[in-house]
Amino acid sequence: MKPNFAVQQIAVEVQYADGMLWFDRSGEVQRKILRGLQPPFAPAEAPQTPFVATGLHSPTEYLTIDFNKDRLLVRQAAVVTPVRVQEAAKESWDVIAETFEVRKRVTRCGVRIVVTWMAESDEEVEAAMVGTGLVQETPTWATALGTPGKRSFI
């Protein structure tokens, strides 16, 4: 039986404190990650500044790795299986944690999964979303913002 949902994106984010060695060692980290993951990864083509992030990408896999002085973000679109995201996140984190000396300075770690469900109608989507209990309006909500004409998740 074919599932009625599709994973659109998976993102793994690790935030850390005191990663100032990024300013001196980002190129070294980029080279180590590239060696560990092999092609089709390549350095991101967008211009980099100390205020953005150092980037790597694999266009054929829709997979990007961005890191800077306070976070690592590995994300993949058009996900078939989470295995490659797991490999990229582990390889990247191992290199960053050692090189930036931040392994014991993690302040947040999270995974975001963006999923789309297939449905026959807007009403079916609304019933499913409201049924989760995560998106129900409260009287306070209605007083502050009014009643929505159409919910944004449809």
Side-chain angles (χ1 to χ4, degrees):
M1 183 172 161
K2 191 173 181 178
N4 66 343
F5 66 91
V7 178
Q8 296 298 312
Q9 184 183 73
I10 296 178
V12 177
E13 183 176 26
V14 180
Q15 294 177 4
Y16 41 87
D18 197 26
M20 299 306 283
L21 290 174
W22 172 74
F23 291 103
D24 296 329
R25 299 184 182 168
S26 65
E28 175 186 347
V29 167
Q30 193 176 38
R31 279 197 330 251
K32 286 179 180 179
I33 293 171
L34 281 170
R35 272 188 246 131
L37 293 174
Q38 301 298 319
F41 270 94
E45 295 178 16
Q48 304 299 318
T49 71
F51 305 104
V52 184
T54 304
L56 300 166
H57 70 114
S58 172
T60 58
E61 298 175 298
Y62 304 103
L63 185 59
T64 61
I65 301 168
D66 293 315
F67 61 93
N68 63 18
K69 66 180 182 55
D70 53 17
R71 76 162 172 77
L72 162 68
L73 178 62
V74 179
R75 63 187 182 277
Q76 183 177 27
V79 178
V80 176
T81 172
V83 171
R84 188 63 168 153
V85 174
Q86 291 172 320
E87 291 172 350
K90 182 187 182 320
E91 178 69 28
S92 301
W93 173 246
D94 286 347
V95 171
I96 286 169
E98 179 182 332
T99 308
F100 295 168
E101 301 171 9
V102 293
R103 186 172 306 279
K104 294 185 179 182
R105 293 182 169 90
V106 173
T107 58
R108 181 179 183 277
C109 184
V111 176
R112 291 185 302 275
I113 302 173
V114 177
V115 179
T116 56
W117 274 270
M118 310 310 166
E120 297 295 323
S121 67
D122 288 353
E123 292 76 20
E124 185 181 341
V125 172
E126 180 148 348
M129 292 300 291
V130 171
T132 66
L134 299 173
V135 291
Q136 295 174 336
E137 296 87 3
T138 64
T140 305
W141 173 280
T143 302
L145 302 172
T147 304
K150 186 172 185 179
R151 291 178 173 90
S152 62
F153 54 76
I154 297 177

mmCIF file of all heavy atoms in Angstrom, residues 114-154:
data_model
loop_
_atom_site.group_PDB
_atom_site.id
_atom_site.type_symbol
_atom_site.label_atom_id
_atom_site.label_comp_id
_atom_site.label_asym_id
_atom_site.label_seq_id
_atom_site.Cartn_x
_atom_site.Cartn_y
_atom_site.Cartn_z
ATOM 1 N N VAL A 114 9.492 18.260 7.084
ATOM 2 C CA VAL A 114 8.356 18.872 6.401
ATOM 3 C C VAL A 114 7.702 17.776 5.567
ATOM 4 O O VAL A 114 8.345 17.166 4.714
ATOM 5 C CB VAL A 114 8.798 20.045 5.500
ATOM 6 C CG1 VAL A 114 7.610 20.629 4.750
ATOM 7 C CG2 VAL A 114 9.508 21.105 6.324
ATOM 8 N N VAL A 115 6.426 17.537 5.848
ATOM 9 C CA VAL A 115 5.691 16.451 5.207
ATOM 10 C C VAL A 115 4.452 17.016 4.533
ATOM 11 O O VAL A 115 3.816 17.925 5.057
ATOM 12 C CB VAL A 115 5.257 15.399 6.268
ATOM 13 C CG1 VAL A 115 4.473 14.269 5.628
ATOM 14 C CG2 VAL A 115 6.466 14.852 6.999
ATOM 15 N N THR A 116 4.118 16.481 3.368
ATOM 16 C CA THR A 116 2.848 16.824 2.738
ATOM 17 C C THR A 116 1.984 15.568 2.688
ATOM 18 O O THR A 116 2.473 14.483 2.405
ATOM 19 C CB THR A 116 3.028 17.367 1.304
ATOM 20 O OG1 THR A 116 3.738 16.413 0.524
ATOM 21 C CG2 THR A 116 3.773 18.673 1.298
ATOM 22 N N TRP A 117 0.711 15.767 3.034
ATOM 23 C CA TRP A 117 -0.256 14.680 2.949
ATOM 24 C C TRP A 117 -1.103 14.885 1.705
ATOM 25 O O TRP A 117 -1.486 16.008 1.389
ATOM 26 C CB TRP A 117 -1.180 14.690 4.176
ATOM 27 C CG TRP A 117 -0.635 13.964 5.341
ATOM 28 C CD1 TRP A 117 -0.811 12.651 5.636
ATOM 29 C CD2 TRP A 117 0.173 14.503 6.382
ATOM 30 N NE1 TRP A 117 -0.158 12.346 6.808
ATOM 31 C CE2 TRP A 117 0.455 13.463 7.282
ATOM 32 C CE3 TRP A 117 0.701 15.769 6.653
ATOM 33 C CZ2 TRP A 117 1.218 13.644 8.420
ATOM 34 C CZ3 TRP A 117 1.461 15.947 7.774
ATOM 35 C CH2 TRP A 117 1.713 14.893 8.647
ATOM 36 N N MET A 118 -1.416 13.803 1.044
ATOM 37 C CA MET A 118 -2.287 13.865 -0.110
ATOM 38 C C MET A 118 -3.738 13.824 0.394
ATOM 39 O O MET A 118 -4.051 13.094 1.332
ATOM 40 C CB MET A 118 -2.053 12.686 -1.054
ATOM 41 C CG MET A 118 -0.594 12.446 -1.420
ATOM 42 S SD MET A 118 0.229 13.947 -1.969
ATOM 43 C CE MET A 118 1.922 13.425 -1.880
ATOM 44 N N ALA A 119 -4.595 14.617 -0.218
ATOM 45 C CA ALA A 119 -5.997 14.641 0.187
ATOM 46 C C ALA A 119 -6.856 14.938 -1.029
ATOM 47 O O ALA A 119 -6.392 15.524 -2.011
ATOM 48 C CB ALA A 119 -6.209 15.703 1.259
ATOM 49 N N GLU A 120 -8.112 14.547 -0.921
ATOM 50 C CA GLU A 120 -9.059 14.758 -2.015
ATOM 51 C C GLU A 120 -9.661 16.158 -2.021
ATOM 52 O O GLU A 120 -10.094 16.634 -3.050
ATOM 53 C CB GLU A 120 -10.180 13.711 -1.935
ATOM 54 C CG GLU A 120 -9.685 12.278 -2.109
ATOM 55 C CD GLU A 120 -9.103 12.004 -3.485
ATOM 56 O OE1 GLU A 120 -9.619 12.543 -4.485
ATOM 57 O OE2 GLU A 120 -8.113 11.257 -3.560
ATOM 58 N N SER A 121 -9.687 16.812 -0.833
ATOM 59 C CA SER A 121 -10.349 18.113 -0.766
ATOM 60 C C SER A 121 -9.769 18.950 0.364
ATOM 61 O O SER A 121 -9.106 18.430 1.264
ATOM 62 C CB SER A 121 -11.848 17.918 -0.518
ATOM 63 O OG SER A 121 -12.052 17.379 0.780
ATOM 64 N N ASP A 122 -10.062 20.250 0.312
ATOM 65 C CA ASP A 122 -9.664 21.155 1.396
ATOM 66 C C ASP A 122 -10.297 20.726 2.717
ATOM 67 O O ASP A 122 -9.676 20.816 3.776
ATOM 68 C CB ASP A 122 -10.070 22.595 1.089
ATOM 69 C CG ASP A 122 -9.217 23.223 -0.004
ATOM 70 O OD1 ASP A 122 -8.228 22.590 -0.420
ATOM 71 O OD2 ASP A 122 -9.547 24.347 -0.426
ATOM 72 N N GLU A 123 -11.539 20.261 2.653
ATOM 73 C CA GLU A 123 -12.247 19.843 3.868
ATOM 74 C C GLU A 123 -11.540 18.656 4.534
ATOM 75 O O GLU A 123 -11.439 18.575 5.756
ATOM 76 C CB GLU A 123 -13.702 19.485 3.548
ATOM 77 C CG GLU A 123 -14.550 20.673 3.144
ATOM 78 C CD GLU A 123 -14.304 21.160 1.705
ATOM 79 O OE1 GLU A 123 -13.771 20.387 0.869
ATOM 80 O OE2 GLU A 123 -14.600 22.335 1.435
ATOM 81 N N GLU A 124 -11.054 17.719 3.729
ATOM 82 C CA GLU A 124 -10.339 16.568 4.266
ATOM 83 C C GLU A 124 -9.043 17.015 4.957
ATOM 84 O O GLU A 124 -8.707 16.535 6.036
ATOM 85 C CB GLU A 124 -10.020 15.579 3.140
ATOM 86 C CG GLU A 124 -9.370 14.293 3.617
ATOM 87 C CD GLU A 124 -9.047 13.335 2.474
ATOM 88 O OE1 GLU A 124 -9.624 13.480 1.369
ATOM 89 O OE2 GLU A 124 -8.206 12.450 2.701
ATOM 90 N N VAL A 125 -8.341 17.961 4.365
ATOM 91 C CA VAL A 125 -7.111 18.490 4.963
ATOM 92 C C VAL A 125 -7.433 19.197 6.272
ATOM 93 O O VAL A 125 -6.777 18.972 7.298
ATOM 94 C CB VAL A 125 -6.399 19.473 4.006
ATOM 95 C CG1 VAL A 125 -5.241 20.165 4.700
ATOM 96 C CG2 VAL A 125 -5.915 18.740 2.767
ATOM 97 N N GLU A 126 -8.456 20.032 6.250
ATOM 98 C CA GLU A 126 -8.825 20.766 7.454
ATOM 99 C C GLU A 126 -9.193 19.809 8.578
ATOM 100 O O GLU A 126 -8.769 19.982 9.723
ATOM 101 C CB GLU A 126 -9.973 21.723 7.180
ATOM 102 C CG GLU A 126 -10.371 22.485 8.410
ATOM 103 C CD GLU A 126 -10.872 23.878 8.107
ATOM 104 O OE1 GLU A 126 -10.704 24.356 6.979
ATOM 105 O OE2 GLU A 126 -11.408 24.475 9.036
ATOM 106 N N ALA A 127 -9.979 18.789 8.295
ATOM 107 C CA ALA A 127 -10.372 17.820 9.323
ATOM 108 C C ALA A 127 -9.145 17.111 9.894
ATOM 109 O O ALA A 127 -9.028 16.920 11.109
ATOM 110 C CB ALA A 127 -11.349 16.803 8.737
ATOM 111 N N ALA A 128 -8.206 16.750 9.024
ATOM 112 C CA ALA A 128 -6.996 16.062 9.497
ATOM 113 C C ALA A 128 -6.139 16.978 10.356
ATOM 114 O O ALA A 128 -5.666 16.581 11.427
ATOM 115 C CB ALA A 128 -6.191 15.546 8.305
ATOM 116 N N MET A 129 -5.928 18.217 9.921
ATOM 117 C CA MET A 129 -5.073 19.140 10.668
ATOM 118 C C MET A 129 -5.702 19.537 11.997
ATOM 119 O O MET A 129 -5.046 19.541 13.026
ATOM 120 C CB MET A 129 -4.772 20.391 9.839
ATOM 121 C CG MET A 129 -3.899 20.121 8.628
ATOM 122 S SD MET A 129 -2.295 19.425 9.031
ATOM 123 C CE MET A 129 -1.529 20.810 9.835
ATOM 124 N N VAL A 130 -6.976 19.883 11.986
ATOM 125 C CA VAL A 130 -7.647 20.274 13.220
ATOM 126 C C VAL A 130 -7.707 19.080 14.164
ATOM 127 O O VAL A 130 -7.580 19.226 15.379
ATOM 128 C CB VAL A 130 -9.052 20.862 12.917
ATOM 129 C CG1 VAL A 130 -9.846 21.058 14.193
ATOM 130 C CG2 VAL A 130 -8.897 22.175 12.172
ATOM 131 N N GLY A 131 -7.839 17.886 13.617
ATOM 132 C CA GLY A 131 -7.895 16.674 14.423
ATOM 133 C C GLY A 131 -6.615 16.392 15.198
ATOM 134 O O GLY A 131 -6.632 15.664 16.190
ATOM 135 N N THR A 132 -5.509 16.986 14.782
ATOM 136 C CA THR A 132 -4.258 16.779 15.522
ATOM 137 C C THR A 132 -4.254 17.516 16.848
ATOM 138 O O THR A 132 -3.495 17.185 17.742
ATOM 139 C CB THR A 132 -3.037 17.266 14.714
ATOM 140 O OG1 THR A 132 -3.113 18.683 14.558
ATOM 141 C CG2 THR A 132 -2.921 16.580 13.367
ATOM 142 N N GLY A 133 -5.078 18.549 16.958
ATOM 143 C CA GLY A 133 -5.106 19.352 18.176
ATOM 144 C C GLY A 133 -4.004 20.395 18.228
ATOM 145 O O GLY A 133 -3.866 21.117 19.201
ATOM 146 N N LEU A 134 -3.226 20.503 17.177
ATOM 147 C CA LEU A 134 -2.097 21.440 17.163
ATOM 148 C C LEU A 134 -2.459 22.798 16.592
ATOM 149 O O LEU A 134 -1.730 23.757 16.784
ATOM 150 C CB LEU A 134 -0.937 20.856 16.351
ATOM 151 C CG LEU A 134 -0.363 19.543 16.869
ATOM 152 C CD1 LEU A 134 0.663 18.991 15.888
ATOM 153 C CD2 LEU A 134 0.256 19.745 18.233
ATOM 154 N N VAL A 135 -3.562 22.901 15.863
ATOM 155 C CA VAL A 135 -3.860 24.132 15.152
ATOM 156 C C VAL A 135 -5.255 24.672 15.441
ATOM 157 O O VAL A 135 -5.828 25.372 14.630
ATOM 158 C CB VAL A 135 -3.692 23.937 13.626
ATOM 159 C CG1 VAL A 135 -2.255 23.739 13.256
ATOM 160 C CG2 VAL A 135 -4.550 22.789 13.128
ATOM 161 N N GLN A 136 -5.797 24.367 16.575
ATOM 162 C CA GLN A 136 -7.133 24.844 16.897
ATOM 163 C C GLN A 136 -7.081 26.259 17.460
ATOM 164 O O GLN A 136 -6.222 26.576 18.273
ATOM 165 C CB GLN A 136 -7.798 23.905 17.896
ATOM 166 C CG GLN A 136 -8.045 22.531 17.301
ATOM 167 C CD GLN A 136 -8.564 21.543 18.318
ATOM 168 O OE1 GLN A 136 -8.346 21.698 19.502
ATOM 169 N NE2 GLN A 136 -9.237 20.510 17.834
ATOM 170 N N GLU A 137 -8.037 27.084 17.020
ATOM 171 C CA GLU A 137 -8.119 28.434 17.545
ATOM 172 C C GLU A 137 -8.718 28.392 18.946
ATOM 173 O O GLU A 137 -9.552 27.547 19.253
ATOM 174 C CB GLU A 137 -9.002 29.325 16.652
ATOM 175 C CG GLU A 137 -8.461 29.531 15.263
ATOM 176 C CD GLU A 137 -8.884 28.438 14.293
ATOM 177 O OE1 GLU A 137 -9.645 27.532 14.673
ATOM 178 O OE2 GLU A 137 -8.441 28.494 13.138
ATOM 179 N N THR A 138 -8.296 29.314 19.765
ATOM 180 C CA THR A 138 -8.848 29.450 21.109
ATOM 181 C C THR A 138 -9.666 30.737 21.153
ATOM 182 O O THR A 138 -9.547 31.581 20.252
ATOM 183 C CB THR A 138 -7.719 29.535 22.151
ATOM 184 O OG1 THR A 138 -6.968 30.731 21.894
ATOM 185 C CG2 THR A 138 -6.804 28.321 22.081
ATOM 186 N N PRO A 139 -10.479 30.928 22.182
ATOM 187 C CA PRO A 139 -11.205 32.214 22.287
ATOM 188 C C PRO A 139 -10.250 33.406 22.297
ATOM 189 O O PRO A 139 -10.542 34.446 21.716
ATOM 190 C CB PRO A 139 -11.957 32.071 23.611
ATOM 191 C CG PRO A 139 -12.141 30.598 23.786
ATOM 192 C CD PRO A 139 -10.895 29.975 23.205
ATOM 193 N N THR A 140 -9.100 33.257 22.937
ATOM 194 C CA THR A 140 -8.113 34.344 22.958
ATOM 195 C C THR A 140 -7.633 34.650 21.545
ATOM 196 O O THR A 140 -7.495 35.801 21.150
ATOM 197 C CB THR A 140 -6.911 33.963 23.854
ATOM 198 O OG1 THR A 140 -7.415 33.610 25.139
ATOM 199 C CG2 THR A 140 -5.910 35.088 23.950
ATOM 200 N N TRP A 141 -7.375 33.599 20.780
ATOM 201 C CA TRP A 141 -6.956 33.740 19.382
ATOM 202 C C TRP A 141 -8.013 34.505 18.593
ATOM 203 O O TRP A 141 -7.719 35.454 17.872
ATOM 204 C CB TRP A 141 -6.736 32.348 18.791
ATOM 205 C CG TRP A 141 -6.461 32.296 17.326
ATOM 206 C CD1 TRP A 141 -7.380 32.377 16.317
ATOM 207 C CD2 TRP A 141 -5.200 32.149 16.694
ATOM 208 N NE1 TRP A 141 -6.766 32.278 15.097
ATOM 209 C CE2 TRP A 141 -5.426 32.132 15.297
ATOM 210 C CE3 TRP A 141 -3.897 32.019 17.153
ATOM 211 C CZ2 TRP A 141 -4.408 31.991 14.384
ATOM 212 C CZ3 TRP A 141 -2.882 31.872 16.223
ATOM 213 C CH2 TRP A 141 -3.135 31.871 14.857
ATOM 214 N N ALA A 142 -9.263 34.081 18.712
ATOM 215 C CA ALA A 142 -10.344 34.710 17.954
ATOM 216 C C ALA A 142 -10.524 36.173 18.351
ATOM 217 O O ALA A 142 -10.773 37.028 17.496
ATOM 218 C CB ALA A 142 -11.642 33.937 18.157
ATOM 219 N N THR A 143 -10.364 36.487 19.626
ATOM 220 C CA THR A 143 -10.490 37.869 20.089
ATOM 221 C C THR A 143 -9.383 38.741 19.497
ATOM 222 O O THR A 143 -9.620 39.860 19.062
ATOM 223 C CB THR A 143 -10.436 37.936 21.628
ATOM 224 O OG1 THR A 143 -11.487 37.134 22.152
ATOM 225 C CG2 THR A 143 -10.568 39.359 22.127
ATOM 226 N N ALA A 144 -8.191 38.210 19.478
ATOM 227 C CA ALA A 144 -7.037 38.979 18.996
ATOM 228 C C ALA A 144 -6.998 39.092 17.484
ATOM 229 O O ALA A 144 -6.709 40.149 16.931
ATOM 230 C CB ALA A 144 -5.740 38.347 19.499
ATOM 231 N N LEU A 145 -7.296 38.004 16.785
ATOM 232 C CA LEU A 145 -7.082 37.971 15.337
ATOM 233 C C LEU A 145 -8.335 37.759 14.510
ATOM 234 O O LEU A 145 -8.286 37.840 13.293
ATOM 235 C CB LEU A 145 -6.063 36.867 15.004
ATOM 236 C CG LEU A 145 -4.704 37.003 15.678
ATOM 237 C CD1 LEU A 145 -3.860 35.775 15.432
ATOM 238 C CD2 LEU A 145 -3.982 38.247 15.200
ATOM 239 N N GLY A 146 -9.429 37.415 15.152
ATOM 240 C CA GLY A 146 -10.647 37.134 14.395
ATOM 241 C C GLY A 146 -10.661 35.688 13.925
ATOM 242 O O GLY A 146 -9.723 34.925 14.134
ATOM 243 N N THR A 147 -11.730 35.317 13.260
ATOM 244 C CA THR A 147 -11.873 33.956 12.751
ATOM 245 C C THR A 147 -11.306 33.906 11.336
ATOM 246 O O THR A 147 -11.681 34.731 10.492
ATOM 247 C CB THR A 147 -13.357 33.544 12.737
ATOM 248 O OG1 THR A 147 -13.874 33.698 14.060
ATOM 249 C CG2 THR A 147 -13.519 32.107 12.285
ATOM 250 N N PRO A 148 -10.427 32.955 11.055
ATOM 251 C CA PRO A 148 -9.835 32.907 9.714
ATOM 252 C C PRO A 148 -10.853 32.476 8.662
ATOM 253 O O PRO A 148 -11.696 31.612 8.922
ATOM 254 C CB PRO A 148 -8.726 31.852 9.856
ATOM 255 C CG PRO A 148 -9.164 30.987 10.985
ATOM 256 C CD PRO A 148 -9.929 31.889 11.910
ATOM 257 N N GLY A 149 -10.773 33.105 7.499
ATOM 258 C CA GLY A 149 -11.626 32.704 6.385
ATOM 259 C C GLY A 149 -11.182 31.364 5.831
ATOM 260 O O GLY A 149 -11.978 30.508 5.482
ATOM 261 N N LYS A 150 -9.880 31.183 5.742
ATOM 262 C CA LYS A 150 -9.304 29.936 5.273
ATOM 263 C C LYS A 150 -7.980 29.762 6.000
ATOM 264 O O LYS A 150 -7.183 30.697 6.089
ATOM 265 C CB LYS A 150 -9.081 29.987 3.768
ATOM 266 C CG LYS A 150 -8.614 28.675 3.185
ATOM 267 C CD LYS A 150 -8.589 28.706 1.660
ATOM 268 C CE LYS A 150 -8.232 27.367 1.115
ATOM 269 N NZ LYS A 150 -8.224 27.350 -0.343
ATOM 270 N N ARG A 151 -7.729 28.608 6.525
ATOM 271 C CA ARG A 151 -6.511 28.369 7.280
ATOM 272 C C ARG A 151 -5.308 28.293 6.345
ATOM 273 O O ARG A 151 -5.430 27.802 5.215
ATOM 274 C CB ARG A 151 -6.654 27.110 8.118
ATOM 275 C CG ARG A 151 -7.653 27.317 9.242
ATOM 276 C CD ARG A 151 -7.825 26.048 10.044
ATOM 277 N NE ARG A 151 -8.643 26.291 11.196
ATOM 278 C CZ ARG A 151 -9.979 26.175 11.202
ATOM 279 N NH1 ARG A 151 -10.595 25.838 10.112
ATOM 280 N NH2 ARG A 151 -10.641 26.399 12.291
ATOM 281 N N SER A 152 -4.163 28.732 6.819
ATOM 282 C CA SER A 152 -2.983 28.816 5.955
ATOM 283 C C SER A 152 -2.356 27.461 5.667
ATOM 284 O O SER A 152 -1.501 27.357 4.815
ATOM 285 C CB SER A 152 -1.931 29.732 6.595
ATOM 286 O OG SER A 152 -1.514 29.199 7.816
ATOM 287 N N PHE A 153 -2.765 26.413 6.371
ATOM 288 C CA PHE A 153 -2.176 25.110 6.088
ATOM 289 C C PHE A 153 -2.869 24.391 4.947
ATOM 290 O O PHE A 153 -2.553 23.269 4.622
ATOM 291 C CB PHE A 153 -2.140 24.221 7.340
ATOM 292 C CG PHE A 153 -3.454 24.039 8.041
ATOM 293 C CD1 PHE A 153 -4.431 23.202 7.536
ATOM 294 C CD2 PHE A 153 -3.693 24.717 9.229
ATOM 295 C CE1 PHE A 153 -5.625 23.038 8.195
ATOM 296 C CE2 PHE A 153 -4.906 24.549 9.880
ATOM 297 C CZ PHE A 153 -5.871 23.711 9.378
ATOM 298 N N ILE A 154 -3.828 25.016 4.328
ATOM 299 C CA ILE A 154 -4.526 24.379 3.210
ATOM 300 C C ILE A 154 -3.966 24.925 1.915
ATOM 301 O O ILE A 154 -3.772 26.075 1.731
ATOM 302 C CB ILE A 154 -6.046 24.623 3.286
ATOM 303 C CG1 ILE A 154 -6.590 23.970 4.548
ATOM 304 C CG2 ILE A 154 -6.743 24.094 2.061
ATOM 305 C CD1 ILE A 154 -8.057 24.188 4.782
#
